[in-house]
Amino acid sequence: MLTNVRKLAFGSPLPTAEEVHQRLTKVQALAVFSSDALSSVAYATEEILLVLVVAGVAALGLSLPIALAIAGLLAIVATSYYQTIHGYPSGGGAYIVAHDNLGMWPGLTAAAALLIDYVLTVAVSITAGVAAITSAFPALLAFRVGLCLLAVALITWANLRGVRESGTLFAIPTYGFVFIFLALIVVGLARLISGTLSPLPAQTPAVAEGSIQALTVFLILRAFASGCTALTGIEAISNGIPAFQKPEADNAGKTLIAMATLLVGMFLGITFLARSLGVVPVEQETVVSQIGKQVFGYGPFYLALQATTALILVLAANTSFADFPRLSSILARDRYLPRQLANLGDRLVFANGIVALAFLASTLVVIFGGQTHRLIPLYALGVFLAFTLSQAGMVRHWQRESGQGWHWKATLNGLGAVATGVVLLVIVTTKFAHGGWIVVLLIPGFIWIFSAVKHHYVTVAEQLSLEGLRPEEWEGLASQRGHKVVVPVSGMHRGTLAALRFARSLSKDVTALVVDVEPEVTARVREKWPVWGHDVPLVVLESSYRSTIGPLLAYLDEVDRREPESGLAVVVLPEFVPARWWQDLLHNQTARLIKNALIYRRGQEGKDRVIIDVPYHLRR
Amino acid sequence: MLTNVRKLAFGSPLPTAEEVHQRLTKVQALAVFSSDALSSVAYATEEILLVLVVAGVAALGLSLPIALAIAGLLAIVATSYYQTIHGYPSGGGAYIVAHDNLGMWPGLTAAAALLIDYVLTVAVSITAGVAAITSAFPALLAFRVGLCLLAVALITWANLRGVRESGTLFAIPTYGFVFIFLALIVVGLARLISGTLSPLPAQTPAVAEGSIQALTVFLILRAFASGCTALTGIEAISNGIPAFQKPEADNAGKTLIAMATLLVGMFLGITFLARSLGVVPVEQETVVSQIGKQVFGYGPFYLALQATTALILVLAANTSFADFPRLSSILARDRYLPRQLANLGDRLVFANGIVALAFLASTLVVIFGGQTHRLIPLYALGVFLAFTLSQAGMVRHWQRESGQGWHWKATLNGLGAVATGVVLLVIVTTKFAHGGWIVVLLIPGFIWIFSAVKHHYVTVAEQLSLEGLRPEEWEGLASQRGHKVVVPVSGMHRGTLAALRFARSLSKDVTALVVDVEPEVTARVREKWPVWGHDVPLVVLESSYRSTIGPLLAYLDEVDRREPESGLAVVVLPEFVPARWWQDLLHNQTARLIKNALIYRRGQEGKDRVIIDVPYHLRR
C-alpha cells in the first residue's frame, strides 16, 4: 500500500544500469546551466536601489556606476572561469579545485561556503519568484510564505522523482525569459528615445530602514555588495563540463562567454531603465514589475514578463537541487558528511540531500518572512569565498603543471582571485551587521562538523576491524547454550502465546514479565497465567511513573548484577502486526519503544542483550 | 544524553500519585476559564465591521444593532449553560451530554465539531494576538507567520512541561486585560461626553473583498455570524465544574454570570466606541488598537492595552491546549481515536494530543497567512453545532430525570437549543462560500474516522482473543527445534561475528547472505569468509536496483516455497550501536530498515518470521 503510494508519487524504481548522462548542445546547455546566473537580474538591481534609497531618492542615481563596476567584475570572473574550464575539463567545482591544489582545509572551506549558498539560492530565488507573482496579483501578497513553501515542495517532489537535466524542458522558460527581458529593454529604450515613455510618478519608498542617512562610502560599497548577487551561478558551467558535447571544454567555454554577455547586457539594461524611469523600490511590487507595467502596460506582455521571471527563478532554485545533493554526496563519499547522503535512491537521485536542502530552505523562508531583501545580506558571501579559493587553486594548478604559457594563465586566474577576494572583503564588511555574521559563523561551524564526522567514521572502522582478532576465539563460543530469556507480556492474547512458545524453544530458563501500568490488565494476566503460562514463572514489576520501559530495564540490570555468570540475556518481544500499515498508528507500539531502549542500553558488566521479535500477523 | 536534554526542556517525570486537582476560588476560576470567551472582544467587533465595510463605510453604523442582537443571544446561551452546570455538576462537556442523552452519533458529531473548533481557537487567538503586537510595532507585520508559529511553539512547550491551571498565574493577564479594557471604555465614553475625543480621520478600508456591494439582508446576517465568535468559550465553565471549591455547581454558576456580564459589557462598549470614533477596519492595524491610540494616545496605557490583549489571546489559545488533549483522551478511552492519545506522558499531560493540536494549528496559520479575518469564516460553526447538541441533550436530560419543575428547566434549555440552532443555520448559510464548507465537510470526515478506528479496535480484539483456543495446542509446539536461520552480512566486522556466533548457538541450519550492492564490499567478504565464516555457507544475492531489502525478501520467499516443511525462518541481524545516539545519524541503519520490512511482510504460506537483533556496542 505504502509502496503503491510511493510509486504513484515518485515513479517506479530505476535500475542502476539506467544511469546515463545526456550530452547537451551549446544551446541546450545555456538553458540548463544559466538559469541561476541570468535569473539574478530579476532582483540584483532592486537590491542596489534598496540600499541606496536609505540615503534618499536622489542617491538612486548612483545605481548605474555601481552596476558598471559589477559588470567589470563579472568580466574578470568569467575570464577566470574560462581558464578553469580548460584546466579542469572533467568538471572543476570549487571544492575539487581547492582540495586538489590548496589542501584539505581550503577545500572544506569552499565546500561549506557552497553548501550554505546553495540553500540561500533556493530561498532567494523562490522568494523573488513569488514576488514576481504577487507584484502582478497583489491579493496574493498575504500568502507569500505559504506560496514559497508550496513552490519548494513542488520542486522537491519533481527532484525526488528525478528531473533529468533535460535541455528541451529548460529551454522554454529560460529562452522565454531572455527574449521577453531583452524585449523589455529594447522597447523601453526605443520608447525613451522617442519620448513616448514617461517616468513613474514619485513614490515614497516603503522599505526605508529608518530615517534618511548620509550617503557614505560604506553605503555605496554596501549597495555594490548587494548587487554582486548578479554574479551568483556563473560557476555553474565549469561544474557541468562533462555534460557538454565534444569537444566539451571548447563548447563549455563558448557557452560561458554567451552567458556572461547576456548577463551583462540584461543587468545594465534594466538598471539603466530603472534610473531613467525614476523607479523607487517599494514593498509590494518588484522593480522589474514596475518597469514592465510602465513599458508594456498591464497586459499580456507584462504578464508574460512576470510569468517567465517566476519560472526562471524556480529553475534557478532547481539548479541548487542538483548541485547541493551532488556536492554533499561527494563530501559523504569522502566521509565528511553522513553516508546516507551518498545513497542513490530508487529514482537514481540523492534523495536525502534533496530533502535536507528543502528543509533548510523552507526554514529560511519562514524565518525571513518570505522577503528576498532580508535574505540578501546573507547571500553571495559564500559564493565569493568559493570563487576566491577556486581561482587561487587554479593559480597553483597552472604553476604545478608548468605547461606552455602557464605564467599567463596563472596571472589571469590570479587577477580573478584578487578581484573576488577584495569583493569578498567588501561583502563581509558591509553585510556583516545586517545578517552576514550568520554566514561568517556558519562556515567554521560546517567545517567543524565535516571533521567531526570524518573522525567518527575513522573511529568506528577501527573498533569494528578484525585486525588482531583470532578466529579460534570466536569458534569456541559457538557452542554457548542456556541463554537467560525474558518475555515482557502486555496482556494475554495470541501474540503473547506465540512469543512464549518461541522463547521456550530457545531455552529452559524463561521468565515472563508484566509491568503493572494498568491494574485491570495485570489482574487479567495473573488470572489466566495458570492455564496459558505453562511452566514459565510470571514476575510482576511495579511502575510508579506509568512507564513500561523503566521497570523493565531496572529488572534486567538487577538480574545481570545478581547472576553475573549466567549466559546472554535474551529478550523475546511479542509484537502483533496490523493487517495494514496505517493501523500501526492506532497502537502504542510499546514493543518498538522497548526494542529501541534495549538496543541503546548496554547491559551491566558490558554484556550485550539480544532482542527477539516474534511478530503475530493480524489478517483484518 | 537525550534523556538529559528532555529533562532540561520538559522537567523530570512526575509519579502518577502526584496527579491532584487544585480547587479554585471563584476569582481564580474566572481567570482560568474565561480567557477564551473574554479575549474574543479583541476581534469580534472588527469581524463585524470587516463584513459590513464591503457595502461601504456608511454601512458600518449597523454594527451596533448587530452587537445588541449578539448580546441577547449570549444572555440566552448563558442561561442555558447555567442549567447545564446544575444538571451535570461533575462536568458536562458537549460530547458527554450529547452522548449520554441523544446517543452515539450526536455525541460523535459534537466531539468532531469541538475538536475542529479547538484547533481554530488556537489559530484565531494566536493570529489575533500577533495582530495586537504588529499593530503596535508595524515593522513586525512582515514576520507575522513566523511570530504565530513561535507563539504556538512556546505554548506547546509550556503544556508539554505541564502548566497547572494555576489561578494566580492566569489571574494577572486576565484581570489586567479586563481592567485596562474597561478603563479604555470608561475613559473613551467620558472623553466622548466631554467632547475632548475627536473621531479618527477618514481612511480607505484596505481589506475590501472586491468593489462596493449592496447592503443585503444576507450581508447583515453574515456580519452577525462573524460577530458570533464572541460567544466561543462560553461553555468552558460547564466543562470545568470539578475544579471549583464546594459547593461546586453554585460557585460555577455565579462565575458564569460574572463572565457573561463582563463579556456583554466589554463587547457592547468597544462596538459603541468603534462607531462613535468612525473606526474603519484596515489591514495593518486592529480596530482595538485604533481606538486605544485615539483614546489613550501612543504611550504606556496604549502599549499596556496591546500587551494584555496579546497575553489574554495567548491564554485563550492555551485553553484549547487543555481542552483538545482532554477531549481526545476521552475519545481514545472510548476507542474512537488512537489509544496513544490517552497516554499520560512523563509530566502527567496528554503529550500526543498537545503535539497533534500544535501541528494542526500551525498548518492553519501557514495556510491562511497568519490572518485572523481569513480564519473567521471557518470559526464558530463547530461551537454552535456543539451548543445546539448539548442544549438539546439537556432537554432530554430534564425530561428523563423528571425532577421538580423539570418542565421549566427543559423549556429554558430548549430555548437555548432553538436559538443556537437558528444561529447555526445562519452561520452555515452565510459563511459556507467563504470557507465554512471546509468545516461542513470535515465534521462527517471526523465522524467517519471515529467509527473506522472503533471498528479496527474491535476487530483486533477479536483476532487476538484466546476464546476458542485450547492450551494443549500450544503446549505441544514448545519443543519445536531446528529453526532455519539466516544472517544478512553487510561486511566482515566484529558485529558480524557476534551475530554469527549467536545464530550458530540457535541452530545447525545457518546461512549467511550478502547482497551485492557494492562489489568491493562483496569481494572482501568472500575473501575473508574461509577464515571467519567457519562452517556457515555464504550466499551472494544480486541487486540491480541498489536495494538490500528487495533481494533479501525475495530469497526468504524462495526458501519458504522450496522448503515448505522446514521450521520457522529466523533472521539474525548484526547491528552495531554507536556510543552516542547522534552518531546513529551517520549510519545507514540498514538493519533497522530490514527489521521493518520483515515485520510487515508475512512469510509465504502464512509463516511468520522471527527477527533477532544482535547488537554490538561501540565504545567511542
Side-chain angles (χ1 to χ4, degrees):
Chain A
M1 165 66 187
L2 195 60
T3 322
N4 287 340
V5 170
R6 224 170 119 178
K7 261 192 195 160
L8 200 71
F10 301 113
S12 307
L14 298 173
T16 316
E18 274 197 18
E19 196 181 23
V20 284
H21 289 288
Q22 192 195 359
R23 292 293 181 127
L24 303 168
T25 65
K26 288 197 286 294
V27 172
Q28 289 174 326
L30 184 63
V32 169
F33 294 116
S34 70
S35 61
D36 185 9
L38 293 182
S39 67
S40 50
V41 299
Y43 51 80
T45 303
E46 178 159 355
E47 297 305 330
I48 298 175
L49 297 176
L50 270 168
V51 175
L52 291 176
V53 82
V54 175
V57 174
L60 295 182
L62 276 172
S63 58
L64 211 51
I66 290 174
L68 283 168
I70 292 170
L73 178 66
L74 202 151
I76 295 174
V77 173
T79 315
S80 198
Y81 267 102
Y82 187 84
Q83 301 260 18
T84 306
I85 288 171
H86 287 89
Y88 272 85
S90 59
Y95 168 65
I96 293 171
V97 173
H99 200 280
D100 277 11
N101 296 296
L102 305 176
M104 184 181 81
W105 296 110
L108 293 183
T109 309
L114 282 175
L115 286 182
I116 292 170
D117 257 58
Y118 289 146
V119 177
L120 282 162
T121 298
V122 175
V124 167
S125 301
I126 289 296
T127 54
V130 167
I133 294 167
T134 55
S135 293
F137 307 103
L140 294 174
L141 194 63
F143 302 105
R144 62 178 155 196
V145 171
L147 286 171
C148 290
L149 295 181
L150 187 70
V152 173
L154 281 176
I155 299 175
T156 307
W157 168 75
N159 278 280
L160 286 177
R161 254 197 99 97
V163 221
R164 290 306 169 94
E165 290 179 342
S166 153
T168 335
L169 186 76
F170 278 54
I172 300 162
T174 306
Y175 285 109
F177 172 75
V178 169
F179 174 77
I180 196 130
F181 208 89
L182 288 177
L184 174 72
I185 293 169
V186 171
V187 174
L189 291 179
R191 289 191 56 191
L192 263 184
I193 295 167
S194 66
T196 58
L197 191 63
S198 48
L200 288 166
Q203 275 185 297
T204 32
V207 201
E209 305 180 7
S211 47
I212 297 287
Q213 298 176 9
L215 184 65
T216 55
V217 174
F218 185 81
L219 198 70
I220 297 171
L221 286 176
R222 192 151 91 80
F224 171 78
S226 285
C228 280
T229 50
L231 270 75
T232 57
I234 203 165
E235 77 288 0
I237 290 177
S238 70
N239 294 337
I241 311 170
F244 280 82
Q245 286 180 344
K246 288 181 180 176
E248 291 93 346
D250 276 354
N251 284 328
K254 283 173 191 158
T255 310
L256 176 66
I257 294 171
M259 175 173 89
T261 313
L262 275 175
L263 184 52
V264 166
M266 289 159 77
F267 178 53
L268 289 181
I270 198 75
T271 309
F272 180 75
L273 276 182
R275 275 320 305 133
S276 310
L277 293 175
V279 172
V280 170
V282 293
E283 163 84 26
Q284 67 282 1
E285 192 177 358
T286 64
V287 163
V288 172
S289 167
Q290 293 185 53
I291 297 172
K293 254 189 219 159
Q294 194 73 355
V295 171
F296 289 142
Y298 194 99
F301 285 106
Y302 165 73
L303 289 174
L305 173 67
Q306 294 307 104
T308 52
T309 305
L311 270 180
I312 199 174
L313 282 160
V314 166
L315 282 191
N318 189 67
T319 312
S320 283
F321 273 86
D323 292 338
F324 182 97
R326 182 167 48 206
L327 178 55
S328 53
S329 79
I330 294 176
L331 287 166
R333 240 196 297 116
D334 294 353
R335 309 214 149 186
Y336 290 116
L337 279 179
R339 63 177 66 167
Q340 291 94 316
L341 293 166
N343 292 358
L344 264 187
D346 281 351
R347 298 289 293 181
L348 292 170
V349 295
F350 298 111
N352 293 318
I354 291 171
V355 171
L357 175 62
F359 174 77
L360 294 172
S362 300
T363 310
L364 277 186
V365 165
V366 171
I367 292 178
F368 289 90
Q371 294 172 291
T372 315
H373 73 99
R374 293 191 190 263
L375 285 161
I376 290 290
L378 281 70
Y379 197 36
L381 204 153
V383 169
F384 274 83
L385 179 51
F387 280 169
T388 311
L389 287 167
S390 136
Q391 307 310 325
M394 286 309 293
V395 176
R396 193 71 200 285
H397 171 82
W398 299 125
Q399 192 186 343
R400 276 188 183 168
E401 229 184 24
S402 303
Q404 211 195 357
W406 73 267
H407 276 107
W408 271 110
K409 293 174 179 169
T411 310
L412 274 176
N413 278 120
L415 179 66
V418 171
T420 52
V422 169
V423 174
L424 175 64
L425 282 180
V426 170
I427 291 178
V428 172
T429 318
T430 57
K431 290 183 168 184
F432 192 83
H434 297 266
W437 59 271
I438 301 173
V439 178
V440 172
L441 287 181
L442 277 179
I443 289 175
F446 268 60
I447 296 173
W448 180 80
I449 290 174
F450 294 156
S451 47
V453 169
K454 179 85 172 195
H455 174 77
H456 170 74
Y457 282 130
V458 170
T459 316
V460 167
E462 281 170 14
Q463 291 179 78
L464 286 175
S465 165
L466 299 182
E467 202 97 345
L469 274 188
R470 280 173 311 145
E472 303 84 64
E473 283 179 44
W474 292 79
E475 172 74 39
L477 295 165
S479 53
Q480 185 193 38
R481 277 278 168 189
H483 303 304
K484 180 156 194 70
V485 179
V486 295
V487 186
V489 166
S490 67
M492 284 314 290
H493 55 66
R494 289 171 185 237
T496 315
L497 295 187
L500 271 178
R501 182 171 59 176
F502 187 78
R504 291 168 67 220
S505 82
L506 282 189
S507 165
K508 298 221 169 299
D509 183 1
V510 180
T511 312
L513 302 174
V514 60
V515 182
D516 185 22
V517 178
E518 287 172 83
E520 321 89 76
V521 176
T522 311
R524 229 174 304 140
V525 171
R526 269 201 165 126
E527 179 202 320
K528 294 194 177 168
W529 201 255
V531 182
W532 297 100
H534 301 303
D535 51 338
V536 175
L538 176 75
V539 174
V540 178
L541 304 173
E542 296 304 312
S543 171
S544 46
Y545 290 87
R546 303 165 305 287
S547 156
T548 311
I549 295 165
L552 212 61
L553 292 177
Y555 174 84
L556 288 172
D557 285 351
E558 202 206 301
V559 167
D560 276 358
R561 223 176 296 116
R562 220 171 38 204
E563 308 172 32
E565 299 303 301
S566 78
L568 221 61
V570 175
V571 182
V572 176
L573 290 170
E575 180 167 3
F576 66 85
V577 183
R580 299 181 189 289
W581 65 268
W582 57 264
Q583 294 174 342
D584 236 21
L585 302 172
L586 303 177
H587 298 281
N588 266 329
Q589 298 157 313
T590 318
R592 223 148 303 169
L593 292 175
I594 295 177
K595 267 187 275 178
N596 273 331
L598 286 174
I599 283 182
Y600 283 102
R601 251 175 94 101
R602 198 187 304 242
Q604 295 282 320
E605 329 260 328
K607 281 198 279 187
D608 287 342
R609 292 202 188 91
V610 172
I611 300 125
I612 301 187
D613 237 310
V614 182
Y616 183 81
H617 285 270
L618 301 181
R619 270 146 223 288
R620 290 178 281 144
Chain B
M1 164 66 184
L2 197 58
T3 321
N4 287 340
V5 170
R6 224 170 121 177
K7 264 194 193 162
L8 201 69
F10 300 113
S12 308
L14 297 174
T16 316
E18 275 195 20
E19 196 183 21
V20 282
H21 289 289
Q22 195 194 357
R23 292 294 180 128
L24 303 168
T25 65
K26 289 197 285 293
V27 172
Q28 289 174 327
L30 184 63
V32 169
F33 293 116
S34 69
S35 61
D36 184 7
L38 293 182
S39 67
S40 50
V41 301
Y43 51 82
T45 303
E46 178 159 355
E47 296 306 328
I48 297 176
L49 297 176
L50 271 168
V51 176
L52 291 175
V53 81
V54 175
V57 174
L60 295 181
L62 276 173
S63 57
L64 211 51
I66 290 175
L68 281 168
I70 292 170
L73 179 65
L74 201 151
I76 296 173
V77 173
T79 314
S80 197
Y81 265 103
Y82 187 83
Q83 302 259 22
T84 306
I85 288 172
H86 287 88
Y88 273 83
S90 59
Y95 168 64
I96 292 170
V97 174
H99 200 279
D100 277 12
N101 297 295
L102 303 177
M104 185 182 81
W105 295 110
L108 293 183
T109 309
L114 283 174
L115 287 182
I116 292 170
D117 256 58
Y118 289 147
V119 177
L120 282 162
T121 299
V122 175
V124 167
S125 302
I126 289 297
T127 53
V130 166
I133 295 168
T134 54
S135 293
F137 306 103
L140 294 174
L141 195 64
F143 302 106
R144 60 180 157 196
V145 172
L147 286 171
C148 290
L149 295 181
L150 187 69
V152 173
L154 280 176
I155 299 175
T156 308
W157 168 76
N159 278 281
L160 286 177
R161 253 198 100 95
V163 224
R164 289 309 167 95
E165 289 177 341
S166 155
T168 335
L169 186 78
F170 279 55
I172 300 162
T174 308
Y175 285 109
F177 172 74
V178 170
F179 175 79
I180 199 133
F181 208 88
L182 289 178
L184 174 72
I185 293 169
V186 171
V187 174
L189 292 178
R191 287 190 59 189
L192 263 184
I193 295 168
S194 66
T196 58
L197 191 61
S198 47
L200 288 165
Q203 278 185 294
T204 31
V207 201
E209 302 179 10
S211 47
I212 297 288
Q213 299 177 8
L215 184 64
T216 56
V217 174
F218 185 82
L219 198 70
I220 296 171
L221 285 176
R222 193 153 89 81
F224 172 79
S226 285
C228 280
T229 50
L231 270 74
T232 57
I234 203 166
E235 78 289 357
I237 290 177
S238 70
N239 293 338
I241 312 172
F244 281 82
Q245 286 180 345
K246 286 183 184 172
E248 291 92 347
D250 277 354
N251 284 328
K254 286 175 188 157
T255 310
L256 175 65
I257 295 172
M259 177 174 87
T261 313
L262 274 175
L263 183 52
V264 166
M266 289 159 76
F267 177 53
L268 290 181
I270 198 76
T271 309
F272 181 75
L273 276 182
R275 276 318 306 131
S276 310
L277 293 176
V279 173
V280 170
V282 292
E283 163 86 26
Q284 67 282 1
E285 191 176 359
T286 65
V287 164
V288 172
S289 166
Q290 293 184 53
I291 297 173
K293 254 189 218 159
Q294 194 73 354
V295 171
F296 289 143
Y298 194 100
F301 285 105
Y302 165 74
L303 291 174
L305 174 69
Q306 294 307 105
T308 53
T309 305
L311 269 179
I312 200 175
L313 283 160
V314 167
L315 283 191
N318 188 68
T319 312
S320 284
F321 273 88
D323 291 338
F324 182 97
R326 183 167 49 205
L327 178 55
S328 52
S329 79
I330 294 174
L331 288 166
R333 240 197 296 117
D334 294 351
R335 308 210 150 188
Y336 292 115
L337 278 180
R339 61 178 62 168
Q340 290 94 317
L341 293 166
N343 291 359
L344 265 187
D346 282 349
R347 300 287 294 179
L348 292 170
V349 295
F350 298 112
N352 293 319
I354 291 172
V355 172
L357 175 61
F359 174 76
L360 295 171
S362 301
T363 310
L364 278 187
V365 165
V366 171
I367 292 176
F368 289 89
Q371 292 171 294
T372 314
H373 74 99
R374 292 192 190 263
L375 285 160
I376 290 290
L378 281 70
Y379 197 35
L381 204 153
V383 168
F384 275 82
L385 180 51
F387 280 169
T388 310
L389 287 168
S390 138
Q391 308 307 324
M394 285 309 293
V395 175
R396 193 72 200 283
H397 171 80
W398 299 123
Q399 194 188 343
R400 276 187 182 168
E401 231 184 23
S402 301
Q404 215 198 349
W406 74 266
H407 277 107
W408 271 110
K409 291 175 180 167
T411 311
L412 274 175
N413 277 120
L415 180 66
V418 171
T420 51
V422 170
V423 174
L424 175 63
L425 283 179
V426 171
I427 291 178
V428 172
T429 320
T430 57
K431 291 182 166 183
F432 192 83
H434 296 266
W437 59 269
I438 301 173
V439 178
V440 172
L441 288 182
L442 275 180
I443 290 175
F446 268 60
I447 297 172
W448 180 81
I449 290 175
F450 295 156
S451 48
V453 168
K454 179 87 171 194
H455 174 77
H456 170 75
Y457 282 131
V458 171
T459 317
V460 167
E462 281 169 17
Q463 292 180 78
L464 286 175
S465 165
L466 300 183
E467 203 98 343
L469 273 189
R470 280 174 309 147
E472 304 84 62
E473 284 180 41
W474 291 79
E475 173 74 41
L477 295 166
S479 54
Q480 185 193 39
R481 278 276 166 191
H483 302 305
K484 179 154 194 73
V485 180
V486 295
V487 185
V489 166
S490 66
M492 283 315 289
H493 54 66
R494 288 171 185 238
T496 315
L497 295 188
L500 271 178
R501 181 170 59 175
F502 187 79
R504 292 168 67 220
S505 82
L506 283 188
S507 165
K508 299 224 169 300
D509 184 1
V510 180
T511 311
L513 302 173
V514 60
V515 182
D516 185 23
V517 177
E518 288 171 84
E520 320 89 73
V521 175
T522 311
R524 231 175 303 140
V525 171
R526 271 201 164 125
E527 178 200 323
K528 293 193 177 169
W529 201 254
V531 182
W532 296 99
H534 302 303
D535 49 341
V536 175
L538 176 75
V539 173
V540 178
L541 305 172
E542 295 306 313
S543 171
S544 46
Y545 289 87
R546 303 165 305 288
S547 157
T548 310
I549 295 166
L552 212 60
L553 292 177
Y555 176 82
L556 289 173
D557 285 351
E558 202 207 302
V559 167
D560 276 357
R561 221 175 298 119
R562 217 172 38 203
E563 308 172 33
E565 299 302 301
S566 79
L568 221 63
V570 175
V571 182
V572 176
L573 289 169
E575 180 168 3
F576 66 87
V577 183
R580 301 182 187 288
W581 64 268
W582 57 263
Q583 294 174 343
D584 238 21
L585 303 172
L586 303 178
H587 299 280
N588 266 331
Q589 297 156 311
T590 318
R592 223 148 303 170
L593 293 174
I594 294 177
K595 266 187 276 180
N596 275 330
L598 287 175
I599 283 184
Y600 284 102
R601 251 176 95 100
R602 200 185 305 242
Q604 295 282 318
E605 329 262 326
K607 282 197 280 185
D608 288 342
R609 292 201 189 92
V610 172
I611 300 124
I612 301 187
D613 234 311
V614 181
Y616 183 82
H617 284 270
L618 300 180
R619 271 144 223 288
R620 289 179 278 145

